[in-house]
Amino acid sequence: MLLTALLWVAGARAAEPEKLRGLEDLTRARIALVAGSSHDEHVARRYPQAQVLQFKATPDVVLAVSTGKADVAFLALESVREIFRTTPNLAILVPEAYRSPMGGAFRSDDTTLRPAYNAFVRGLRESGVFEAMRERWFKDGARDLPPLPPRGSGPVLRMGITASKGLPWTGVRNGTFTGFEVELAERFAASLGRPLELVDLDVSGQIAALASGRIEAIACLLVMTEERRKRVAFSDDLLAFVACVVTREDRIAGAAPAAATAPQAGLPLGERIRANLVDEGRYRLILEGLFVTCVISVLATLFGTVFGGVVCAGRMSPRPLLRQMAAVYIWCLRGVPVLVVLMIIYYVVFASFHVSPILVAAVAFGLNAAAYIAEMLRSAIQSVDRGQLEAGVAGGFTRAQAFRLIVLPQALRQVLPVYKGEVISLFKMTSVVGYIAVQDITKAGDIIRSRTFDAFIPLLVTAAIYLVLAWLIAWALERIELRVTPPHLRQGMGVAS
Amino acid sequence: MITVRGLRKRFGDLEVLKGVDCEIRKGEVISLIGPSGTGKSVFLRCLNLLERPTSGEILIGGQPLLDPATDVPALRRRMGMVFQHFNLYAHLSVLGNITLGPVHLLGREPAVAAARARELLALVGLAHKADAYPDQLSGGPKQRVAIARCLAMDPEIILFDEPTSALDPTMVSEVLAVIRNLARDGMTMVIVTHEMAFAEAISTRVFYMDGGEIHEEGPPAVIFGAPRRPLTQAFIRRIRRLTFQITDDAYDLYALNGEIERFGARHVLPPKTIEDLLSLVEELLALQPSRADVRLELAYAERDGRVEVVCSARGAPLDVLAPGSAEDDLAVRLVRGRTEEVRYAREGERNVSTLLVRAAR
């Protein structure tokens, strides 16, 4: 422990990092980029010796560079202006590392939507609206959607976007999606006479969602890489994507050495809190996220508990087949990470049904919890000595009555302390639902980060909310525990503190 | 009220009951005695179907217990059972234990059931423990609560499965006293027990079980006093008497003491008497000139409450307990001081001393 601390301190005081001059210095650099983005392919091809740090979303990439975890980052040139507003210690090292066409993406077997999209874009260019949009978002730095043509009333058009990409592409303001891509998608849907539903997915999840039929098209503009062309059919070129290389200001050759500072460290704390929580109604995102987290947790707990009881009954059944099935179920669900279960259910099981992802999450976490709860219940039931059941039966109760009146109350009391732990862990595990486009608290924090590029406040607030809620759950379950404990055993029972 | 015909029970390859026939009438107190592993408990557990017999017939008040159409839980309500390990419901207070059955099965009002429970607790001497929980009670009170729990269902018969075997010796008598009171009040009971004195005292009939069947049955005076069949006779002799053979000086005193203590516990002798017996036997053995062939026998006569200690030693004629005969006169006085009567006889090549010790009641 001490050694680690010493090493860390020593590392922090390591010699001044080398200055960077241009692309030639990237050969062995630590390069941060968004996983699954076009940079990924480019860097792998051009700088095979570089150390690539893959992040889930743009804000993480920005943070990695500004805190010195990475030497440089590959970003879209258009995103940089917005990023520099909030993270002033960054600078552009190379304004154009490479250039590549971008466009919307459709299923490879699509025959109707893609031609319609191409025709729509052509029309947009001819009428001059496309150029106006570019001016507005990329040059003037617009942040809100303009008045849009009315929404149609046909069947819903589901398109994928990535809110964490940030403005001017896509962002969240006042609780709604905004940005160039959003406006384009809205206009496209209106041209089809269909209402639009945007599904927020990470860049790396877009193509999988398209393949599974969860979305009909990808509205967030993708760079047309070779790899992607094999998987999807792209629209005609829409824009040229310009990738730039960003690094910390003080790392650029010739710049004065500056103290390493956290992003926005210059801003007073009150300002930062305001920027992260109040501006653009961001607290609403957190509140909505909190609500979603609670809904998923409650549903998953209920479902997991009931289904856990069913699995436990199977596990203790006199019929070998049922016992086997329950054992296999428990074995599987305890051996596979819940996140993988979640994605399997979302992308595979429910691929072609449009079930609310919140429900999918509740089912996935419930299935996972059920496996654990079943085993807890089983060991609790087995811990009640058989003699009591026998005494009940000998006294005239049926086996079911004896179980319900004698064994179950004792088993439930036994199981409560471990059950409490399981519920809290389930509650915390729900933080991964962002993977299937559910906006829970964690995801809300991510979205805020993608606008403010401040890691500290959103993560801290998120952590504090989890902490308080976990404490509340523990407190509530301990009240129940206390109520079912005979008075003479209550002493020394801790109340969550 | 219970008729059993041709009852067999087999566990895998092991046939535990090999055809039991009997008839138990209302008001009878039946003791089931016999060596361990002869199916006494299994037989008892077949009577309320906790064990399912392999074949045979059981009639409870004329109703065939093994008929699939019979409402077994309803029949069980009329038969209480008291277990060796009490089996009180751990999550309920004493009162809750007693009222659970009446409230849920007999449809009694909770208040009515509680009032009746308190009466029954008073009957078993535990009125002050109504709100205690089972884990706050020691063995004796637990078993008395278990008996009260049975009584709360107003059973027509109570089955006792070794009710005192798991108890500390000091608590055996309080449980036996409760059962004795029930017998006096005319409760029909079947008791599997190793407490022979108790069985002899309260039973109307005794079933001696051996080899998976009722080997001999009869009134206690006959079974304990003058059993007819050899197996019964051997068993009764074994439980009545303690025999211990000594072949050299290095005999195992602790094993002998252990057996004497068990003997005392079996006959519910007071601790004082057991202590007397222990020191008396030790002195008696020390007084023998040779311990090459000494046979000790202890027997308890219930009727006059006396323990007979017989020490038979091979050797030249010598009465080790004759006053002034030994160098260690103090030891002789100690032994005589603890006995009521001492006799000496010469039998063949052996010196036989017989000592009578009155049990301190």
Side-chain angles (χ1 to χ4, degrees), chain A residues 385-398 401 404-407 409-410 413 486-489, chain B residues 45 48 50 73-74 76-77 79-81 83 86-91 100-101 104-105 133 135-136 149 153:
Chain A
D385 91 274
R386 285 195 55 79
Q388 294 185 38
L389 184 74
E390 206 160 63
V393 169
F397 289 107
T398 62
Q401 278 176 320
R404 184 168 57 80
L405 292 169
I406 296 158
V407 177
Q410 297 185 53
R413 187 160 81 77
H488 70 285
L489 295 177
Chain B
R45 290 162 61 85
N48 64 357
L50 283 185
R76 286 190 185 127
R77 267 164 236 172
M79 311 166 70
M81 186 161 196
F83 297 84
F86 332 123
N87 297 349
L88 294 182
Y89 310 139
H91 62 306
L100 189 74
H104 288 274
L105 296 174
Y133 279 79
D135 58 0
Q136 292 173 297
R149 181 174 69 181
M153 293 293 289

Short mmCIF file of all heavy atoms in Angstrom, two decimals, chain A residues 385-398 401 404-407 409-410 413 486-489, chain B residues 45 48 50 73-74 76-77 79-81 83 86-91 100-101 104-105 133 135-136 149 153:
data_model
loop_
_atom_site.label_atom_id
_atom_site.label_comp_id
_atom_site.label_asym_id
_atom_site.label_seq_id
_atom_site.Cartn_x
_atom_site.Cartn_y
_atom_site.Cartn_z
N ASP A 385 -34.27 -26.24 11.32
CA ASP A 385 -34.13 -27.68 11.52
C ASP A 385 -35.42 -28.42 11.19
O ASP A 385 -36.52 -27.93 11.44
CB ASP A 385 -33.60 -27.97 12.95
CG ASP A 385 -34.70 -28.17 13.95
OD1 ASP A 385 -35.18 -27.16 14.51
OD2 ASP A 385 -35.09 -29.32 14.14
N ARG A 386 -35.24 -29.59 10.58
CA ARG A 386 -36.36 -30.35 10.05
C ARG A 386 -37.35 -30.76 11.12
O ARG A 386 -38.53 -30.99 10.86
CB ARG A 386 -35.85 -31.61 9.35
CG ARG A 386 -35.22 -31.36 8.00
CD ARG A 386 -35.09 -32.67 7.24
NE ARG A 386 -36.37 -33.38 7.12
CZ ARG A 386 -37.29 -33.04 6.24
NH1 ARG A 386 -37.08 -32.07 5.41
NH2 ARG A 386 -38.44 -33.71 6.19
N GLY A 387 -36.85 -30.88 12.34
CA GLY A 387 -37.70 -31.31 13.44
C GLY A 387 -38.91 -30.42 13.62
O GLY A 387 -40.00 -30.90 13.95
N GLN A 388 -38.73 -29.12 13.36
CA GLN A 388 -39.86 -28.20 13.56
C GLN A 388 -40.96 -28.46 12.54
O GLN A 388 -42.14 -28.41 12.86
CB GLN A 388 -39.39 -26.75 13.48
CG GLN A 388 -38.46 -26.39 14.61
CD GLN A 388 -38.10 -24.93 14.57
OE1 GLN A 388 -38.91 -24.07 14.24
NE2 GLN A 388 -36.86 -24.63 14.92
N LEU A 389 -40.54 -28.72 11.30
CA LEU A 389 -41.52 -29.04 10.26
C LEU A 389 -42.26 -30.33 10.66
O LEU A 389 -43.48 -30.42 10.55
CB LEU A 389 -40.80 -29.24 8.92
CG LEU A 389 -41.69 -29.50 7.71
CD1 LEU A 389 -42.39 -28.22 7.29
CD2 LEU A 389 -40.89 -30.05 6.54
N GLU A 390 -41.47 -31.28 11.15
CA GLU A 390 -42.04 -32.55 11.57
C GLU A 390 -43.04 -32.35 12.72
O GLU A 390 -44.11 -32.94 12.73
CB GLU A 390 -40.91 -33.47 12.02
CG GLU A 390 -41.21 -34.92 11.88
CD GLU A 390 -39.94 -35.74 11.86
OE1 GLU A 390 -39.23 -35.71 12.89
OE2 GLU A 390 -39.67 -36.38 10.84
N ALA A 391 -42.66 -31.49 13.66
CA ALA A 391 -43.56 -31.22 14.79
C ALA A 391 -44.86 -30.62 14.28
O ALA A 391 -45.95 -30.97 14.75
CB ALA A 391 -42.88 -30.29 15.78
N GLY A 392 -44.75 -29.72 13.30
CA GLY A 392 -45.95 -29.11 12.73
C GLY A 392 -46.83 -30.15 12.05
O GLY A 392 -48.05 -30.18 12.24
N VAL A 393 -46.19 -31.01 11.26
CA VAL A 393 -46.95 -32.04 10.55
C VAL A 393 -47.60 -33.00 11.54
O VAL A 393 -48.77 -33.34 11.43
CB VAL A 393 -46.02 -32.80 9.57
CG1 VAL A 393 -46.70 -34.04 9.03
CG2 VAL A 393 -45.62 -31.87 8.43
N ALA A 394 -46.82 -33.39 12.55
CA ALA A 394 -47.37 -34.31 13.56
C ALA A 394 -48.51 -33.63 14.31
O ALA A 394 -49.43 -34.29 14.79
CB ALA A 394 -46.27 -34.73 14.54
N GLY A 395 -48.48 -32.29 14.40
CA GLY A 395 -49.52 -31.58 15.11
C GLY A 395 -50.78 -31.37 14.28
O GLY A 395 -51.73 -30.76 14.75
N GLY A 396 -50.78 -31.83 13.02
CA GLY A 396 -51.99 -31.76 12.23
C GLY A 396 -51.94 -30.78 11.07
O GLY A 396 -52.90 -30.67 10.31
N PHE A 397 -50.83 -30.04 10.92
CA PHE A 397 -50.72 -29.15 9.77
C PHE A 397 -50.40 -29.98 8.53
O PHE A 397 -49.73 -31.01 8.62
CB PHE A 397 -49.59 -28.14 9.97
CG PHE A 397 -49.90 -27.10 11.02
CD1 PHE A 397 -49.27 -27.14 12.25
CD2 PHE A 397 -50.80 -26.09 10.77
CE1 PHE A 397 -49.54 -26.19 13.22
CE2 PHE A 397 -51.08 -25.13 11.73
CZ PHE A 397 -50.45 -25.18 12.95
N THR A 398 -50.85 -29.51 7.37
CA THR A 398 -50.37 -30.14 6.14
C THR A 398 -48.94 -29.66 5.94
O THR A 398 -48.50 -28.70 6.56
CB THR A 398 -51.22 -29.70 4.93
OG1 THR A 398 -51.07 -28.29 4.80
CG2 THR A 398 -52.68 -30.04 5.12
N GLN A 401 -48.89 -26.02 4.97
CA GLN A 401 -49.18 -25.12 6.10
C GLN A 401 -47.98 -25.03 7.03
O GLN A 401 -47.61 -23.93 7.47
CB GLN A 401 -50.36 -25.68 6.91
CG GLN A 401 -51.72 -25.36 6.35
CD GLN A 401 -52.80 -26.04 7.17
OE1 GLN A 401 -52.64 -27.18 7.61
NE2 GLN A 401 -53.90 -25.35 7.38
N ARG A 404 -45.39 -22.89 5.52
CA ARG A 404 -45.73 -21.46 5.51
C ARG A 404 -45.69 -20.85 6.91
O ARG A 404 -45.20 -19.75 7.10
CB ARG A 404 -47.13 -21.31 4.91
CG ARG A 404 -47.58 -19.88 4.73
CD ARG A 404 -48.84 -19.85 3.88
NE ARG A 404 -49.93 -20.64 4.42
CZ ARG A 404 -50.73 -20.23 5.41
NH1 ARG A 404 -50.57 -19.05 5.94
NH2 ARG A 404 -51.70 -21.02 5.85
N LEU A 405 -46.19 -21.59 7.90
CA LEU A 405 -46.33 -21.02 9.24
C LEU A 405 -45.08 -21.19 10.09
O LEU A 405 -44.85 -20.43 11.03
CB LEU A 405 -47.51 -21.67 9.96
CG LEU A 405 -48.89 -21.35 9.41
CD1 LEU A 405 -49.94 -22.25 10.01
CD2 LEU A 405 -49.22 -19.88 9.68
N ILE A 406 -44.28 -22.21 9.80
CA ILE A 406 -43.18 -22.52 10.70
C ILE A 406 -41.82 -22.30 10.04
O ILE A 406 -40.97 -21.61 10.58
CB ILE A 406 -43.30 -23.97 11.21
CG1 ILE A 406 -44.59 -24.11 12.04
CG2 ILE A 406 -42.09 -24.35 12.05
CD1 ILE A 406 -45.10 -25.50 12.16
N VAL A 407 -41.63 -22.88 8.85
CA VAL A 407 -40.30 -22.80 8.24
C VAL A 407 -40.07 -21.43 7.59
O VAL A 407 -39.05 -20.79 7.81
CB VAL A 407 -40.10 -23.93 7.20
CG1 VAL A 407 -38.75 -23.79 6.52
CG2 VAL A 407 -40.22 -25.27 7.88
N PRO A 409 -41.28 -18.29 7.95
CA PRO A 409 -40.95 -17.10 8.74
C PRO A 409 -39.52 -17.12 9.25
O PRO A 409 -38.83 -16.10 9.26
CB PRO A 409 -41.93 -17.15 9.91
CG PRO A 409 -43.02 -18.06 9.48
CD PRO A 409 -42.43 -19.02 8.50
N GLN A 410 -39.05 -18.30 9.63
CA GLN A 410 -37.68 -18.38 10.14
C GLN A 410 -36.67 -18.23 9.01
O GLN A 410 -35.64 -17.58 9.17
CB GLN A 410 -37.46 -19.73 10.84
CG GLN A 410 -38.36 -19.88 12.04
CD GLN A 410 -38.08 -21.16 12.81
OE1 GLN A 410 -36.97 -21.44 13.18
NE2 GLN A 410 -39.11 -21.95 13.02
N ARG A 413 -36.41 -14.59 8.01
CA ARG A 413 -35.63 -13.82 8.97
C ARG A 413 -34.13 -14.09 8.76
O ARG A 413 -33.31 -13.18 8.83
CB ARG A 413 -36.02 -14.18 10.39
CG ARG A 413 -35.37 -13.31 11.43
CD ARG A 413 -36.12 -13.37 12.72
NE ARG A 413 -35.81 -14.53 13.50
CZ ARG A 413 -34.70 -14.66 14.22
NH1 ARG A 413 -33.81 -13.71 14.23
NH2 ARG A 413 -34.47 -15.74 14.92
N PRO A 486 -37.29 -11.55 17.23
CA PRO A 486 -37.88 -11.60 18.57
C PRO A 486 -37.17 -10.60 19.49
O PRO A 486 -35.96 -10.41 19.35
CB PRO A 486 -37.60 -13.03 19.02
CG PRO A 486 -37.29 -13.80 17.80
CD PRO A 486 -36.79 -12.84 16.78
N PRO A 487 -37.92 -9.98 20.40
CA PRO A 487 -37.38 -8.88 21.20
C PRO A 487 -36.06 -9.22 21.89
O PRO A 487 -35.16 -8.41 21.94
CB PRO A 487 -38.47 -8.62 22.22
CG PRO A 487 -39.69 -9.29 21.71
CD PRO A 487 -39.29 -10.34 20.74
N HIS A 488 -35.94 -10.46 22.39
CA HIS A 488 -34.74 -10.73 23.19
C HIS A 488 -33.48 -10.85 22.34
O HIS A 488 -32.39 -10.90 22.87
CB HIS A 488 -34.94 -11.99 24.02
CG HIS A 488 -34.97 -13.25 23.21
ND1 HIS A 488 -36.04 -13.63 22.45
CD2 HIS A 488 -34.05 -14.21 23.03
CE1 HIS A 488 -35.78 -14.77 21.84
NE2 HIS A 488 -34.58 -15.15 22.18
N LEU A 489 -33.64 -10.91 21.02
CA LEU A 489 -32.46 -11.01 20.15
C LEU A 489 -32.11 -9.68 19.52
O LEU A 489 -31.18 -9.58 18.74
CB LEU A 489 -32.71 -12.05 19.05
CG LEU A 489 -32.87 -13.48 19.52
CD1 LEU A 489 -33.19 -14.39 18.35
CD2 LEU A 489 -31.62 -13.96 20.24
N ARG B 45 -43.46 -43.62 15.09
CA ARG B 45 -43.61 -42.64 14.00
C ARG B 45 -44.51 -43.16 12.88
O ARG B 45 -45.03 -42.38 12.10
CB ARG B 45 -42.24 -42.24 13.46
CG ARG B 45 -41.44 -41.37 14.46
CD ARG B 45 -39.96 -41.34 14.10
NE ARG B 45 -39.75 -40.77 12.78
CZ ARG B 45 -39.65 -39.47 12.54
NH1 ARG B 45 -39.74 -38.62 13.54
NH2 ARG B 45 -39.48 -39.03 11.33
N ASN B 48 -48.43 -42.12 13.48
CA ASN B 48 -49.04 -40.91 12.92
C ASN B 48 -48.49 -40.61 11.54
O ASN B 48 -48.52 -39.47 11.07
CB ASN B 48 -48.87 -39.71 13.87
CG ASN B 48 -47.42 -39.32 14.07
OD1 ASN B 48 -46.52 -39.97 13.55
ND2 ASN B 48 -47.20 -38.27 14.82
N LEU B 50 -45.58 -40.29 10.29
CA LEU B 50 -44.35 -39.55 10.00
C LEU B 50 -43.43 -40.44 9.20
O LEU B 50 -42.62 -39.97 8.41
CB LEU B 50 -43.66 -39.09 11.29
CG LEU B 50 -44.28 -37.88 11.99
CD1 LEU B 50 -43.42 -37.47 13.17
CD2 LEU B 50 -44.47 -36.72 11.05
N PRO B 73 -53.98 -35.35 7.96
CA PRO B 73 -53.81 -34.24 8.89
C PRO B 73 -54.93 -34.16 9.93
O PRO B 73 -54.67 -33.85 11.10
CB PRO B 73 -53.82 -33.01 7.98
CG PRO B 73 -53.28 -33.52 6.68
CD PRO B 73 -53.83 -34.93 6.56
N ALA B 74 -56.15 -34.47 9.53
CA ALA B 74 -57.26 -34.41 10.49
C ALA B 74 -57.07 -35.46 11.59
O ALA B 74 -57.33 -35.20 12.77
CB ALA B 74 -58.58 -34.64 9.77
N ARG B 76 -54.19 -36.66 12.53
CA ARG B 76 -53.02 -36.27 13.35
C ARG B 76 -53.41 -35.23 14.39
O ARG B 76 -52.80 -35.15 15.45
CB ARG B 76 -51.92 -35.69 12.46
CG ARG B 76 -51.18 -36.73 11.66
CD ARG B 76 -49.96 -36.09 11.03
NE ARG B 76 -49.24 -37.00 10.14
CZ ARG B 76 -48.93 -36.72 8.89
NH1 ARG B 76 -49.30 -35.57 8.37
NH2 ARG B 76 -48.25 -37.57 8.16
N ARG B 77 -54.42 -34.40 14.06
CA ARG B 77 -54.87 -33.40 15.03
C ARG B 77 -55.34 -34.05 16.31
O ARG B 77 -55.31 -33.45 17.37
CB ARG B 77 -56.03 -32.59 14.44
CG ARG B 77 -55.57 -31.33 13.75
CD ARG B 77 -56.65 -30.76 12.89
NE ARG B 77 -56.11 -30.63 11.54
CZ ARG B 77 -56.82 -30.30 10.47
NH1 ARG B 77 -58.12 -30.08 10.58
NH2 ARG B 77 -56.25 -30.19 9.31
N MET B 79 -53.99 -36.70 17.56
CA MET B 79 -52.88 -37.41 18.19
C MET B 79 -51.73 -36.44 18.38
O MET B 79 -51.18 -35.92 17.43
CB MET B 79 -52.38 -38.54 17.27
CG MET B 79 -53.49 -39.41 16.73
SD MET B 79 -52.92 -40.44 15.36
CE MET B 79 -51.87 -41.58 16.21
N GLY B 80 -51.36 -36.19 19.62
CA GLY B 80 -50.21 -35.32 19.85
C GLY B 80 -48.93 -36.11 19.77
O GLY B 80 -48.94 -37.33 19.86
N MET B 81 -47.82 -35.39 19.56
CA MET B 81 -46.54 -36.09 19.60
C MET B 81 -45.50 -35.21 20.29
O MET B 81 -45.41 -34.02 20.03
CB MET B 81 -46.06 -36.43 18.19
CG MET B 81 -44.80 -37.27 18.21
SD MET B 81 -44.55 -38.11 16.65
CE MET B 81 -43.36 -39.36 17.08
N PHE B 83 -41.40 -34.94 21.01
CA PHE B 83 -40.17 -35.46 20.40
C PHE B 83 -39.00 -35.44 21.38
O PHE B 83 -38.98 -34.66 22.33
CB PHE B 83 -39.80 -34.60 19.19
CG PHE B 83 -40.82 -34.63 18.09
CD1 PHE B 83 -41.93 -33.79 18.13
CD2 PHE B 83 -40.67 -35.48 17.02
CE1 PHE B 83 -42.87 -33.81 17.12
CE2 PHE B 83 -41.60 -35.50 16.00
CZ PHE B 83 -42.72 -34.67 16.06
N PHE B 86 -37.53 -31.92 21.35
CA PHE B 86 -38.53 -30.87 21.64
C PHE B 86 -39.20 -30.29 20.40
O PHE B 86 -40.41 -30.17 20.36
CB PHE B 86 -37.95 -29.72 22.48
CG PHE B 86 -36.81 -30.13 23.38
CD1 PHE B 86 -35.57 -29.53 23.30
CD2 PHE B 86 -36.98 -31.16 24.30
CE1 PHE B 86 -34.52 -29.93 24.11
CE2 PHE B 86 -35.93 -31.57 25.13
CZ PHE B 86 -34.71 -30.95 25.03
N ASN B 87 -38.36 -29.87 19.42
CA ASN B 87 -38.88 -29.30 18.18
C ASN B 87 -39.87 -28.17 18.40
O ASN B 87 -40.90 -28.10 17.75
CB ASN B 87 -39.53 -30.39 17.31
CG ASN B 87 -38.53 -31.43 16.88
OD1 ASN B 87 -37.33 -31.24 17.06
ND2 ASN B 87 -39.01 -32.52 16.33
N LEU B 88 -39.54 -27.26 19.31
CA LEU B 88 -40.38 -26.08 19.47
C LEU B 88 -40.15 -25.16 18.28
O LEU B 88 -39.09 -25.17 17.68
CB LEU B 88 -40.01 -25.34 20.76
CG LEU B 88 -40.32 -26.11 22.05
CD1 LEU B 88 -39.95 -25.26 23.26
CD2 LEU B 88 -41.78 -26.52 22.12
N TYR B 89 -41.18 -24.36 17.93
CA TYR B 89 -41.05 -23.42 16.82
C TYR B 89 -40.21 -22.23 17.27
O TYR B 89 -40.64 -21.45 18.11
CB TYR B 89 -42.42 -22.95 16.35
CG TYR B 89 -43.41 -24.08 16.10
CD1 TYR B 89 -44.74 -23.97 16.47
CD2 TYR B 89 -42.98 -25.27 15.49
CE1 TYR B 89 -45.64 -25.01 16.25
CE2 TYR B 89 -43.87 -26.31 15.27
CZ TYR B 89 -45.19 -26.17 15.65
OH TYR B 89 -46.05 -27.20 15.44
N ALA B 90 -39.01 -22.11 16.70
CA ALA B 90 -38.02 -21.17 17.24
C ALA B 90 -38.44 -19.70 17.08
O ALA B 90 -37.99 -18.85 17.82
CB ALA B 90 -36.68 -21.39 16.56
N HIS B 91 -39.31 -19.42 16.09
CA HIS B 91 -39.63 -18.01 15.84
C HIS B 91 -40.81 -17.53 16.66
O HIS B 91 -41.19 -16.37 16.58
CB HIS B 91 -39.93 -17.80 14.36
CG HIS B 91 -41.13 -18.58 13.88
ND1 HIS B 91 -41.26 -19.93 14.06
CD2 HIS B 91 -42.24 -18.17 13.25
CE1 HIS B 91 -42.41 -20.32 13.54
NE2 HIS B 91 -43.02 -19.28 13.05
N LEU B 100 -50.50 -21.79 18.11
CA LEU B 100 -50.45 -21.87 16.64
C LEU B 100 -51.44 -22.90 16.10
O LEU B 100 -52.25 -22.62 15.22
CB LEU B 100 -49.03 -22.21 16.17
CG LEU B 100 -48.82 -22.10 14.66
CD1 LEU B 100 -48.75 -20.65 14.23
CD2 LEU B 100 -47.55 -22.81 14.21
N GLY B 101 -51.41 -24.11 16.67
CA GLY B 101 -52.30 -25.17 16.21
C GLY B 101 -53.77 -24.84 16.46
O GLY B 101 -54.58 -24.84 15.52
N HIS B 104 -54.96 -21.98 14.04
CA HIS B 104 -54.99 -22.28 12.61
C HIS B 104 -55.74 -23.55 12.26
O HIS B 104 -56.24 -23.69 11.16
CB HIS B 104 -53.57 -22.34 12.05
CG HIS B 104 -52.92 -21.00 11.95
ND1 HIS B 104 -53.06 -20.17 10.87
CD2 HIS B 104 -52.14 -20.32 12.83
CE1 HIS B 104 -52.40 -19.05 11.07
NE2 HIS B 104 -51.83 -19.12 12.26
N LEU B 105 -55.78 -24.50 13.18
CA LEU B 105 -56.38 -25.79 12.83
C LEU B 105 -57.75 -26.00 13.46
O LEU B 105 -58.60 -26.66 12.90
CB LEU B 105 -55.44 -26.92 13.24
CG LEU B 105 -54.10 -26.95 12.51
CD1 LEU B 105 -53.21 -28.01 13.10
CD2 LEU B 105 -54.30 -27.17 11.02
N TYR B 133 -38.91 -17.08 24.67
CA TYR B 133 -38.72 -17.77 23.40
C TYR B 133 -37.97 -19.08 23.67
O TYR B 133 -37.24 -19.19 24.65
CB TYR B 133 -37.94 -16.88 22.44
CG TYR B 133 -38.84 -15.87 21.77
CD1 TYR B 133 -39.24 -14.72 22.44
CD2 TYR B 133 -39.35 -16.10 20.50
CE1 TYR B 133 -40.11 -13.82 21.85
CE2 TYR B 133 -40.21 -15.20 19.90
CZ TYR B 133 -40.58 -14.07 20.57
OH TYR B 133 -41.44 -13.20 19.97
N ASP B 135 -35.33 -20.46 22.65
CA ASP B 135 -33.89 -20.48 22.92
C ASP B 135 -33.53 -19.86 24.25
O ASP B 135 -32.36 -19.82 24.63
CB ASP B 135 -33.11 -19.82 21.77
CG ASP B 135 -33.54 -18.39 21.53
OD1 ASP B 135 -34.44 -17.93 22.25
OD2 ASP B 135 -32.98 -17.73 20.64
N GLN B 136 -34.52 -19.37 24.98
CA GLN B 136 -34.23 -18.85 26.32
C GLN B 136 -34.49 -19.90 27.39
O GLN B 136 -34.28 -19.65 28.57
CB GLN B 136 -35.11 -17.63 26.61
CG GLN B 136 -34.77 -16.42 25.74
CD GLN B 136 -35.76 -15.30 25.93
OE1 GLN B 136 -36.93 -15.47 25.62
NE2 GLN B 136 -35.31 -14.18 26.43
N ARG B 149 -48.01 -27.84 24.34
CA ARG B 149 -48.39 -27.60 22.95
C ARG B 149 -49.27 -28.75 22.43
O ARG B 149 -50.25 -28.52 21.72
CB ARG B 149 -47.14 -27.45 22.10
CG ARG B 149 -47.42 -27.17 20.64
CD ARG B 149 -46.15 -26.89 19.88
NE ARG B 149 -45.30 -28.05 19.74
CZ ARG B 149 -44.11 -28.05 19.13
NH1 ARG B 149 -43.65 -26.93 18.61
NH2 ARG B 149 -43.39 -29.14 19.04
N MET B 153 -54.16 -29.05 21.70
CA MET B 153 -54.98 -29.55 20.60
C MET B 153 -56.05 -30.53 21.10
O MET B 153 -56.73 -31.16 20.31
CB MET B 153 -54.10 -30.24 19.56
CG MET B 153 -53.15 -29.32 18.82
SD MET B 153 -54.01 -28.16 17.74
CE MET B 153 -54.58 -29.25 16.44
#
